[in-house]
Amino acid sequence: MAGKPLAGVAFALALGAALAGCASRPVEHFYTVSGGDVAPASGPEVQQVAVSPIIIPALIDRPQLVVRTSAHEVEVLENHRWGEPLSVDLTRALIGDLRRARPGLSIVAADTPPTQGAGQILDVAITELLSGPGTTASLQASWVLRDRHRNCVRTGNLESSIPAQAGYGAIPVAYADAMSRLADAIARTIAAVCE
């Protein structure tokens, strides 16, 4: 008989510990860089530009947000995560911004069929995209715009410092601004027909 009250106490303690563990679980936040989609231009004479998946550095190619805390230190934010792989999200954001910047062209993802007939192919590599220290984000990127036969090649690069608000939720907004600036720079090198 004495065993039953002890079993009840043990059960109550175990239940209390389980509930305490649930109560202290940190809240996870998920973010995206890309916003609303802009439909590509269409028609038989519309020049198509296929955008390859953006290459990003291994430092930020992870589910968690990463911020620079000093010149030689970064912090991986375990409870602040990207809603999908960052390269996929950045590519979508860039395509949307390019469609806004060059509405007369059909800007599509290179892995979207049919892109075999795309007149131009855009390859983008980001070498730095980090927030911090402080309320800025830095972007360093380069791109190659070429036709399928590499008869016409244009290249460019961009280094930009983007002001950001305080707080982790401002990082995706700063990255969206960075993609918009990158799209504007790339749009200046895109021509409807390579000459």
Side-chain angles (χ1 to χ4, degrees):
M1 288 218 184
K4 287 187 180 182
L6 288 178
V9 170
F11 175 76
L13 289 174
L15 180 61
L19 290 174
C22 290
S24 64
R25 183 175 181 193
V27 176
E28 290 187 341
H29 303 272
F30 294 90
Y31 304 96
T32 64
V33 175
S34 58
D37 200 11
V38 177
S42 61
E45 293 85 29
V46 173
Q47 178 71 32
Q48 189 178 72
V49 178
V51 180
S52 301
I54 293 178
I55 297 169
I56 61 174
L59 178 65
I60 62 171
D61 190 11
R62 62 181 66 232
Q64 304 90 344
L65 274 67
V66 178
V67 295
R68 184 173 295 284
T69 56
S70 69
H72 301 285
E73 184 179 11
V74 295
E75 182 179 354
V76 178
L77 306 174
E78 287 298 332
N79 297 317
H80 296 270
R81 296 174 175 261
W82 298 112
E84 64 182 328
L86 184 56
S87 177
V88 172
D89 195 19
L90 292 174
T91 302
R92 184 181 305 108
L94 180 64
I95 289 171
D97 288 332
L98 283 170
R99 287 175 180 168
R100 282 186 270 283
R102 293 299 303 261
L105 297 178
S106 177
I107 312 289
V108 297
D111 56 2
T112 304
T115 55
Q116 294 79 15
Q120 297 179 56
I121 300 167
L122 176 64
D123 299 316
V124 177
I126 291 176
T127 53
E128 181 171 325
L129 182 58
L130 272 176
S131 180
T135 54
T136 61
S138 58
L139 168 69
Q140 294 178 9
S142 60
W143 65 90
V144 175
L145 178 68
R146 59 182 170 83
D147 65 5
R148 291 203 171 270
H149 306 293
R150 294 190 174 269
N151 293 329
C152 177
V153 178
R154 291 183 180 87
T155 62
N157 59 65
L158 176 68
E159 291 187 24
S160 186
S161 179
I162 299 98
Q165 299 294 320
Y168 299 137
I171 295 171
V173 176
Y175 287 10
D177 187 15
M179 290 301 97
S180 182
R181 291 178 186 212
L182 181 58
D184 289 343
I186 292 172
R188 290 191 288 271
T189 67
I190 295 176
V193 179
C194 273
E195 301 170 341

